[in-house]
Amino acid sequence: MNMLEGKVVLVTGAAQGIGATLARGLVERGAAVIAADIEDATPVARDIEASGGRALAVRCDVTDAQEIEHTVQAALDGFQRLDGVVNNAALFGRVQNISMFDIDMADWDQIMAVNARGPWLVARAAIPAMEQIGGGAIVNVSTNRVFVGTPELLHYDASKGAVVALTRSMAREVGGRGIRVNCVAPGLTMSENVRQRAGIDSRAPLVNARRAIQRDQQPEDLVGAVAFLLSDDARFITGQTLVVDGGSVMH
Ligand SMILES: NC(=O)c1ccc[n+]([C@@H]2O[C@H](COP(=O)([O-])OP(=O)(O)OC[C@H]3O[C@@H](n4cnc5c(N)ncnc54)[C@H](O)[C@@H]3O)[C@@H](O)[C@H]2O)c1
């Protein structure tokens, strides 16, 4: 049997990049997905349906508590249950490297609002629905940069450090309610927006050289880890952060 058969999973930031690949990959493993994004995720949902899967596209800005509530309700209306959440939405792919001395305060606040506050707001709205069916699983998306210390994206790195921290605290707070909360920390991954970043062709080989497995990381490389953490096979795993980066960071 597929490891996610019968489960319904909300994936944020699913209109493109890693989120879209995760949505497709979770459906291939038996799940139905709600593809939520501030951009239009309809093409991703249509693509999934065309291959025989079940998916629903919902517009959802993860900084907006009301839109998040509507998204959870859309999941319940569409699929009658909610088993899992992947907190993938973030400001990342189009954020350019910038010195800490040049970061605009409004940009700092916006990155924190999307990347750190967003996962909390989505979890807060989704947990009661997951509790109704006896429990569920949340997978947050951080980055391996948190364990490295890398210059020129200080606002982004601070927001993703918060994701590791909130994963641990949330796991302890909701474990008794049947909810597991884990995190994956990808390395530099060739999503569409990353492929278009200035200087990526010269930077990627340097990143790859630090890996035990020395090649580009693709969005597909993350699907297995996320699916496992959502599945019942991970039933006694919570509060953990799994680095998925080809063996660059080892911790
Ligand atoms: N690609 C990488 O190298 C890499 C490495 C480590 C971690 N990550 C993390 O993986 C995740 C996906 O990365 P990606 O490369 O696909 O990023 P991306 O920037 O290409 O895609 C992010 C998605 O989030 C959506 N989004 C942005 N703001 C939103 C909001 N307020 N509400 C809802 N959706 C919103 C965007 O529309 C987009 O579809 C992010 O959390 C990122 O931080 C990426």
Side-chain angles (χ1 to χ4, degrees), residues 16 18 37 60-62 88 90 92-93 142 156 160 187 189 191 193:
Q16 62 204 310
I18 290 172
D37 204 297
C60 177
D61 177 350
V62 300
N88 165 81
F92 174 63
S142 179
Y156 173 76
K160 289 296 184 174
T189 303
S191 59
N193 285 321

Side-chain angles (χ1 to χ4, degrees), residues 5 13 21 138 186 201 228:
E5 199 63 54
T21 299
I138 297 173
D201 289 342
F228 167 68

Side-chain angles (χ1 to χ4, degrees), residues 12-20 22 36-40 60-64 67 87-95 110 113-115 141-145 156 159-160 184-194 197 211 217 219 222:
T12 67
Q16 62 204 310
I18 290 172
L22 289 177
D37 204 297
I38 197 168
E39 292 188 18
D40 185 11
C60 177
D61 177 350
V62 300
T63 67
D64 184 327
E67 283 194 17
N87 272 316
N88 165 81
L91 290 175
F92 174 63
R94 294 174 194 152
V95 180
Q110 183 63 13
V114 177
N115 298 9
V141 180
S142 179
T143 168
N144 74 345
R145 294 173 58 98
Y156 173 76
S159 73
K160 289 296 184 174
V184 293
L188 182 69
T189 303
M190 294 300 150
S191 59
E192 296 96 305
N193 285 321
V194 166
R197 282 177 98 143
R211 292 178 167 152
Q217 178 163 358
L222 290 155

Side-chain angles (χ1 to χ4, degrees), residues 38 61-64 87-100 102-121 141-143 145-146 152-163 166 197:
I38 197 168
D61 177 350
V62 300
T63 67
D64 184 327
N87 272 316
N88 165 81
L91 290 175
F92 174 63
R94 294 174 194 152
V95 180
Q96 297 302 322
N97 283 29
I98 182 167
S99 157
M100 64 171 274
D102 297 328
I103 294 172
D104 187 84
M105 285 214 312
D107 289 347
W108 177 286
D109 289 349
Q110 183 63 13
I111 283 198
M112 293 302 283
V114 177
N115 298 9
R117 197 179 67 188
W120 162 57
L121 288 181
V141 180
S142 179
T143 168
R145 294 173 58 98
V146 165
E152 294 193 342
L153 272 182
L154 196 70
H155 45 355
Y156 173 76
D157 291 344
S159 73
K160 289 296 184 174
V163 171
L166 71 83
R197 282 177 98 143

